[in-house]
Amino acid sequence: MTDRRRFLRNTLLAVGGAALAGCDRISESDTGTKVLESAEAVTRRVQRFLTPSRALAKEYTEADISAVFKPNGSTMPDTPVYQALLRGSFADYRLEIDGLVDRPARLSLDELKALGTRTQITRHDCVEGWSAIGKWTGVPLAALLDHVGAKDGARYVVFHCFDNYEEDTPYYESIDLDEARHPQTLLAHALNGEALPVGNGAPLRLRVERQLGYKHAKYIRRIQVVASFADIGEGKGGYWEDNGYEWYAGI
C-alpha cells in the first residue's frame, strides 16, 4: 500500500472512530441514525475505492502460524440441534442454501468439499485488538454460489448460525455478493491441517479475510441469498450490527 493510500485509509478510520465516540447521543434520534448509516455507506465506498475488489489479503508462511488460535465469542453452542450433530461427529450435518437461488440445496460436508478446496494462511484481526495467524482450508464461497446459481436481484449472502447470543436470538451475519465471490472468501472446515475445532466454529465457518473478525460467522447452519436483509433480525445485517457495530468492517 502506498504512503498516500495508507494516509487516506488511516484518516478514514480516525474519522470513523470519532463518529462512533458520539454514537450514543446521535443515535437517540431517527435523524441521527440516518446520518450514521449514510456515513457508513460513504466509508464503505471509499474503502472499496482504496482496496480493489479482487485485491488479496496478505498471506503468510507456515512459520508464521500462531501457536494458539484463540477461540472467541461463542465457543460451544448449547442448542439441541447443534449438540446432537456434535455427538454424531457432524455426520448428519447438512448445509442449507436457499433464497434467491436457482437450485436450493442441502449439502453434507463431503458434498461441499467436492465443490473445490482452497488453503490459505492469513491473519485474523479482532475488533478487541488481538490478532492470530492460521491456516484455513475450505470451499470457496464463489464455488457454492456457482453450484446453486444466484438469481437476478441477489445482492447479499446471509449466514444463519447454530449459536444463540441471547435467548431465542440466533447469531447471523452477512456480506455482499462482491465479497462473497472474492477468491479468499471461504467456508472453512479445517484449521492448521485438522478438522475445525468446536471453539473455532465447527463444522463450518466463514473466512472473509479482508474484514474484521466479527464478520467471520461460525457454526453456519444455513446460507440465504437475498436482495435485502432489512427484514432479518433487526435489519442491520448481523447480530453485532444490530447492536451498533458497522456492517462493513474492512481492514
Side-chain angles (χ1 to χ4, degrees), residues 10 17 36 43 45 63 75 78 91 99-100 139 150 159 180 214 230:
N10 290 343
L36 290 174
T43 300
R45 286 195 294 271
T75 57
D78 60 4
L100 294 178
V139 179
F159 305 89
Y214 67 85

Side-chain angles (χ1 to χ4, degrees), residues 74-153:
S74 293
T75 57
M76 175 59 79
D78 60 4
T79 54
V81 173
Y82 183 85
Q83 287 295 312
L85 290 170
L86 178 58
R87 286 192 297 271
S89 300
F90 301 109
D92 294 329
Y93 173 79
R94 298 293 184 272
L95 174 67
E96 298 181 32
I97 309 98
D98 58 20
L100 294 178
V101 298
D102 295 321
R103 298 172 293 278
R106 295 182 75 251
L107 302 177
S108 68
L109 286 174
D110 285 342
E111 288 169 331
L112 275 170
K113 293 174 185 178
L115 298 179
T117 298
R118 175 184 168 90
T119 296
Q120 58 201 31
I121 301 175
T122 52
R123 190 180 70 190
H124 180 98
D125 292 312
C126 181
V127 72
E128 295 172 351
W130 59 270
S131 298
I133 294 173
K135 180 169 75 172
W136 302 96
T137 299
V139 179
L141 183 52
L144 177 60
L145 292 173
D146 289 342
H147 180 72
V148 298
K151 291 181 178 291
D152 290 344

